[in-house]
Amino acid sequence: MSYEEVIFYFVAAVTVLGALGVVLTRNVVHSALFLILALLAVAGVFILLSAEFLAIVQILIYGGAVTILILFVMMLTRVRDMPQALDGPQRPFAALAAGAFLVLSVLAALSSDWPGETREITVVPFREMGEALFRDWAVPFEVASLVLLVALIGAIVLARGEEGE
Amino acid sequence: MIPIENFLVLSSILFSIGIYGVLARRNAVLIIMSVELMLQAVSINFIAFAVYLYPEQFTGLIFAIFVITIAAAEVGLALGIILRIFRNKGTSNVDEVDMLKW
């Protein structure tokens, strides 16, 4: 077993443990902390896939912004005060659906005949990626910035509250 | 080197855990967190396909960037809506938010 495989299995185990913690723990704040763990481990997976830029973006946006936002909303909506409302009666059905999807998807991934190289990573130069993003993908890029602006204004309007409240 | 199947199986596991979370949890904030897990699984798949199968096109890497961008916008808006519902109804439990049902 090469050292890369050892690192992969370690990072994968941390990712799965963190994700299981998110959906199974009874304490919602622990759930959010497990989410941070899982997201940082996914950043490690990105580095193993030689996508360092995405790993940094992942840590900044998810580890920094999204989880903090989630923790703030947990505080404001007092999720901790209603622990009995955490899980619904549909848990067996949920486990069944997730298990069925897992079996199907793993079988599909293992039995497919992928075109091209499936053993070696070809590192995409960071410079080429940036040029493609700002030339070939310039219009989607601008649309994405518009989406972010609309979401920003929308979130402010929604969360601000009415006049005289 | 690590074969591509390892990454695909990891992302399948992550996506399944996300499905379980979305279906089993009742609180809207916890459902959002499970949706984030599913988005992560999709990003892993995109990047794996980009760097293994089509490294000369690397569309998957660009898509992963857009997934992260849209996910950030989505979380901001969704949490604003949850906050609004909590102020109006006093709960963020999705079973009790049934104003559109009669």
Side-chain angles (χ1 to χ4, degrees), chain A residues 94-163:
Chain A
L96 193 70
F101 177 84
L102 178 65
V103 170
L104 206 71
S105 147
V106 167
L107 283 180
L110 293 183
S111 63
S112 292
D113 197 13
W114 304 109
E117 184 64 64
T118 62
R119 302 271 140 190
E120 292 284 323
I121 289 179
T122 315
V123 178
V124 175
F126 182 50
R127 187 192 170 93
E128 264 184 49
M129 202 175 106
E131 281 176 358
L133 183 61
F134 288 107
R135 285 193 187 137
D136 307 340
W137 296 82
V139 175
F141 181 82
E142 295 299 333
V143 173
S145 59
L146 193 68
V147 167
L148 276 176
L149 180 69
V150 170
L152 184 71
I153 298 174
I156 291 172
V157 170
L158 278 172
R160 189 190 51 170
E162 262 116 57
E163 300 293 322

